[in-house]
Amino acid sequence: MHQQPYPVQPAAPVLYTPDGTPYYATSPATAPLVPYQPTLVPAPAPYAAALVHPAAAYLPAPVGTGRDVWPARLLAGGIGAGAAGVGLAFLFQAVAAAATGLGLLAAVLALVWLLKNTGGSGGGGRSGAVNLSVNVSNRNR
């Protein structure tokens, strides 16, 4: 197995300017190397951004004809009303489904209560032992 999978590149020679600033050179330099000198960016004028009103960037473009676009406004209002109607329809449907579920749950609980509290004999819910005393006398003897 090869111990170094990547070829080792020779280190670039380090050259120095007369003031001691280092810069790196590759082996054949086609032109004399110049050390990096950042360019100076002029500072922005203070409060230059305050001259443009922020809302001016979001204003719609003025219409050249000066006519009122009432069909577009009616269409936009109709779309908004339709969307509100669809939203209300979903809301009412959810409320109706919840009310139906609660009604069915109440009916099942009422049926369970009735079955539990009635004895099944039609006695109106009275069940248990009954004390009965019968006296029979035969007077025709």
Side-chain angles (χ1 to χ4, degrees):
M1 181 172 165
H2 195 278
Q3 294 298 327
Q4 262 183 329
Y6 302 106
V8 177
Q9 305 224 349
V14 179
L15 303 177
Y16 296 93
T17 59
D19 62 347
T21 305
Y23 63 93
Y24 299 94
T26 56
S27 35
T30 58
L33 297 175
V34 179
Y36 173 74
Q37 296 176 355
T39 58
L40 295 176
V41 178
Y47 307 107
L51 298 176
V52 177
H53 194 274
Y58 300 104
L59 291 176
V63 178
T65 60
R67 293 182 1 191
D68 187 16
V69 287
W70 60 270
R73 287 190 291 135
L74 285 177
L75 180 63
I79 290 173
V86 169
L88 287 176
F90 276 116
L91 174 70
F92 293 151
Q93 184 180 7
V95 168
T100 303
L102 287 176
L104 289 174
L105 180 64
V108 167
L109 289 176
L111 182 64
V112 167
W113 183 82
L114 282 175
L115 290 175
K116 177 185 166 284
N117 289 332
T118 57
S121 62
R126 295 184 301 265
S127 61
V130 176
N131 292 331
L132 184 62
S133 174
V134 177
N135 291 329
V136 177
S137 60
N138 192 354
R139 294 182 189 208
N140 293 332
R141 262 202 266 176

